[in-house]
Amino acid sequence: TPMVHILHRCALAALLVALAVLLPAAQASAEERARLVAAMLGEADPAPAVDALRASSDPLVRETLAAWRIGTAYVFVEPAGARHVVLLEEPADAQGRARARRADTGAWLTDAQGAELRLVAGELTAVDNPSKLRKVIKRTLDLMALNDADPRARRDAAAGLGFQQNADYLPAFEQRLAQESEPSVRKALAEAIAITRLAGPEAAAQQAAIAELARLRSIAGLDLLKKLVPADAATAALLRT
């Protein structure tokens, strides 16, 4: 019937829209994972590679970075010589063996016959994670929280990072704000940007930040504003807003 045809067309259109959204995201995740694994295997400079993942929303990228930071990401070498970065399932069995998940695909590691391999952490080489690199990984993980699927997590991440007043975070805040649609998260990002700019060296930028916090009626920035000594009458007036 005509109605059935219409419903079929609507369903097909909805499917095409979903694919148009999901396929580019899947491709981006695959590329991010490939770059991350290359860095972990020493095929690329790790610090810039990790820093470039700030905007990633891929859960496997997040999990791999977290494991790398604490020394639980490992290199598995196949008999033929191919190398893979793997994450071991927890908890291990009574013999200390655990299934291993590939960091590039998320698939369980298997042998040539397709049987799942079980590996012992002590028999593998952990991916190198010197102190400076661990700091870069932590910063990237912190900023990745701005892209969490949960709006509350994004809001809390923006609030926490804003109070660090780290100017290096401003591009990430601004990029996320341009994409964000949730009002509570948008407000938290705007507050984070203003609070961060309060710590800048330029008086004009500080006054603009104070005006923005006043416009937002920011409770989060109130304590910081109270600590400021107004440099002129205009700033004092803003603080009374």
Side-chain angles (χ1 to χ4, degrees), residues 113-226:
Q113 286 71 45
E116 289 181 353
L117 295 175
R118 291 184 177 271
L119 309 178
V120 177
E123 297 175 356
L124 299 170
T125 300
V127 181
D128 191 34
N129 62 347
S131 176
K132 288 184 178 180
L133 182 58
R134 291 198 301 273
K135 292 178 181 178
V136 175
I137 294 173
K138 181 183 184 306
R139 181 177 64 205
T140 295
L141 285 169
D142 287 344
L143 290 169
M144 283 179 67
L146 295 173
N147 306 300
D148 195 282
D150 185 348
R152 292 170 298 182
R154 298 198 301 274
R155 179 198 64 201
D156 293 347
L161 292 170
F163 272 105
Q164 294 183 29
Q165 295 186 299
N166 187 334
D168 290 342
Y169 293 171
L170 281 172
F173 294 152
E174 292 166 346
Q175 180 181 0
R176 183 65 233 177
L177 182 60
Q179 302 168 349
E180 186 60 60
S181 59
E182 177 65 32
S184 66
V185 183
R186 288 187 58 82
K187 181 179 180 182
L189 286 163
E191 287 177 342
I193 291 169
I195 288 171
T196 301
R197 287 177 174 160
L198 283 177
E202 298 181 3
Q206 290 176 343
Q207 290 185 21
I210 292 170
E212 176 67 358
L213 291 170
R215 183 188 70 80
L216 293 167
R217 304 287 182 184
S218 171
I219 297 174
L222 181 61
D223 289 340
L224 285 174
L225 292 176
K226 288 179 177 178

